[in-house]
């Protein structure tokens, strides 16, 4: 599944286990192990403002490395998606502060939110965004009319979400920003009796909460999904799960989601979030590069 609504992002070319991308007006080369084919552009056209040089040591499983950046590249710059403005910036984790492939989720959630508001205009849907990072999904949902709770364990990530909120002129949007461990927060919300109409989850492979809580997706995701089921309102809209950086097929996300929403009816879709190459004149059909597995449930 891809999104064709981008203007400030493009996958220009891919191959030789790399991808050439554009974020705003700047071009970047990043490792892409799945691009096991040849680039379509000549090597002379693979010029970039930043290149991520991967480390292939056994200790970091090929996930380490660092950026080689041009001296005139700014530390951050604004990009747009539909009516949103937010910052792009090279991070130590290879990405640029947001994940372009997730735009397909943003639009899907916004569609569900707007449909609910058309039927119940006086009751904005309540959306919980877990592992919410720099907040673009939260901003998109709020712009669609939802009341959003944005949660991430990283104070730095939440600070970036504030910056993106201000860049999009959404200071008055109903977004509650929280720094906390996802599982602890969900358990507390259940005890408080709070409920949400939609839940978005983008858990990391592993991580730590603000009080040292340890997260490992293979061990902790099933319990979190089960807990999130107990957070859904009596008239829920959706649940979305995205999984990066684990060696598993999309069937894992599908069946985990199916177990979590068993008995609720509705529809589960699953597959791969991908980015699609630009169409090059005189070339074959554009290729797509898978970025993550996903499963999402929507009520009938």
């Amino acid at each position: 599944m891809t999104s064709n609504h981008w203007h400030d992002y493009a996958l220009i070319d891919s191959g030789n286990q790399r991808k050439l991308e554009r974020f705003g007006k700047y071009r970047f080369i990043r490792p892409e192990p799945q691009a096991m084919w040849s680039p379509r552009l000549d090597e002379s056209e693979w010029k970039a403002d930043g290149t991520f040089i991967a480390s292939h040591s056994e200790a970091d499983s090929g996930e380490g490395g660092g950026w080689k950046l041009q001296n005139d590249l700014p530390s951050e710059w604004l990009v747009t998606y539909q009516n949103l403005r937010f910052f792009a910036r090279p991070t130590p984790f290879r990405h640029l502060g947001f994940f372009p492939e997730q735009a397909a989720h943003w639009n899907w959630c916004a569609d569900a939110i707007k449909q609910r508001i058309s039927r119940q205009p006086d009751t904005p849907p309540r959306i919980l965004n877990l592992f919410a990072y720099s907040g673009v999904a939260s901003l998109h949902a709020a712009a669609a009319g939802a009341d959003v709770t944005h949660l991430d364990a990283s104070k730095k990530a939440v600070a970036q979400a504030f910056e993106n909120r201000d860049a999009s002129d959404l200071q008055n949007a109903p977004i509650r920003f929280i720094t906390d461990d996802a599982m602890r927060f969900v358990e507390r919300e259940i005890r408080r009796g709070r409920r949400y109409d939609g839940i978005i989850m983008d858990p990391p492979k592993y991580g730590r909460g603000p009080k040292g809580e340890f997260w490992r997706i293979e061990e902790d995701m099933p319990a979190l999904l089960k807990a999130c089921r107990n957070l859904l309102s009596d008239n829920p809209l959706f649940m979305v799960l995205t999984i990066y950086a684990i060696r598993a097929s999309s069937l894992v996300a599908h069946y985990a989601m199916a177990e979590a929403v068993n008995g609720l009816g509705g529809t589960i879709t699953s597959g791969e979030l991908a980015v699609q190459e630009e169409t090059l004149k005189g070339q074959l059909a554009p290729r797509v590069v898978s970025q993550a597995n996903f499963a999402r449930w929507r009520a009938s």
Side-chain angles (χ1 to χ4, degrees):
M1 185 171 59
T2 62
S3 173
N4 59 0
H5 296 282
W6 277 107
H7 297 288
D8 274 355
Y9 170 79
L11 175 60
I12 301 169
D13 194 15
S14 62
N16 293 342
Q17 299 187 52
R18 302 180 301 165
K19 55 187 175 185
L20 175 63
E21 301 165 285
R22 177 178 57 78
F23 289 79
K25 65 180 182 179
Y26 302 107
R27 291 158 59 111
F28 297 87
I29 297 172
R30 296 193 286 169
E32 182 46 73
Q34 297 192 78
M36 292 184 284
W37 48 75
S38 299
R40 288 176 171 170
L41 292 176
D42 187 80
E43 185 67 21
S44 63
E45 298 188 61
W46 277 62
K47 296 179 180 179
D49 300 284
T51 301
F52 193 92
I53 309 299
S55 168
H56 297 289
S57 68
E58 186 175 342
D60 61 32
S61 303
E63 296 180 1
W67 286 101
K68 181 179 179 181
L69 304 172
Q70 296 295 323
N71 292 333
D72 58 351
L73 180 73
S75 60
E76 60 185 26
W77 59 98
L78 283 170
V79 297
T80 62
Y81 182 78
Q82 295 176 347
N83 294 325
L84 298 182
R85 286 162 54 87
F86 46 94
F87 287 98
R89 47 170 70 90
T91 76
F93 308 104
R94 302 190 185 199
H95 56 78
L96 276 294
F98 64 96
F99 300 93
E101 63 275 6
Q102 293 216 8
H105 284 339
W106 306 338
N107 294 331
W108 184 84
C109 292
D111 179 68
I113 291 165
K114 291 175 181 178
Q115 286 191 31
R116 169 62 62 82
I117 292 173
S118 70
R119 299 191 299 270
Q120 302 177 17
D122 297 328
T123 309
R126 297 182 62 194
I127 306 301
L128 173 62
N129 187 11
L130 297 173
F131 311 99
Y133 188 43
S134 60
V136 184
S138 299
L139 299 177
H140 201 270
D147 184 324
V148 180
T149 297
H150 169 109
L151 182 136
D152 199 280
S154 167
K155 292 182 179 179
K156 183 177 181 180
V158 173
Q160 292 174 353
F162 272 111
E163 293 172 356
N164 288 334
R165 179 203 63 179
D166 294 348
S168 289
D169 293 326
L170 289 173
Q171 293 90 336
N172 296 322
I175 307 175
R176 182 169 58 134
F177 294 92
I178 298 174
T179 303
D180 203 347
D181 174 74
M183 191 67 195
R184 288 183 181 274
F185 176 81
V186 167
E187 290 172 342
R188 284 200 304 273
E189 291 290 86
I190 292 172
R191 292 194 296 269
R192 292 165 179 155
R194 293 178 66 92
R195 296 296 181 262
Y196 295 88
D197 301 302
I199 300 176
I200 303 168
M201 290 167 279
D202 182 13
K205 181 178 179 180
Y206 55 86
R208 289 193 178 276
K211 296 182 179 179
E213 304 93 338
F214 188 74
W215 166 271
R216 188 174 182 86
I217 193 168
E218 294 90 345
E219 300 171 2
D220 298 317
M221 185 182 71
L224 180 62
L225 281 169
K226 182 178 179 180
C228 284
R229 161 68 181 267
N230 294 327
L231 266 187
L232 289 175
S233 68
D234 293 335
N235 188 21
L237 281 174
F238 58 74
M239 286 179 63
V240 179
L241 171 65
T242 309
I243 302 177
Y244 287 85
I246 67 170
R247 296 177 181 177
S249 76
S250 60
L251 293 174
V252 172
H254 182 100
Y255 290 123
M257 179 66 74
E259 182 176 65
V261 300
N262 183 40
L264 291 180
T267 303
I268 297 174
T269 55
S270 60
E272 301 176 17
L273 288 181
V275 288
Q276 180 174 295
E277 290 177 342
E278 289 184 321
T279 301
L280 302 175
K281 185 176 181 180
Q283 295 284 0
L284 301 173
R287 298 171 294 200
V288 296
V289 180
S290 178
Q291 303 294 289
N293 296 326
F294 78 90
R296 58 194 192 188
W297 168 80
R298 185 162 176 174
S300 300

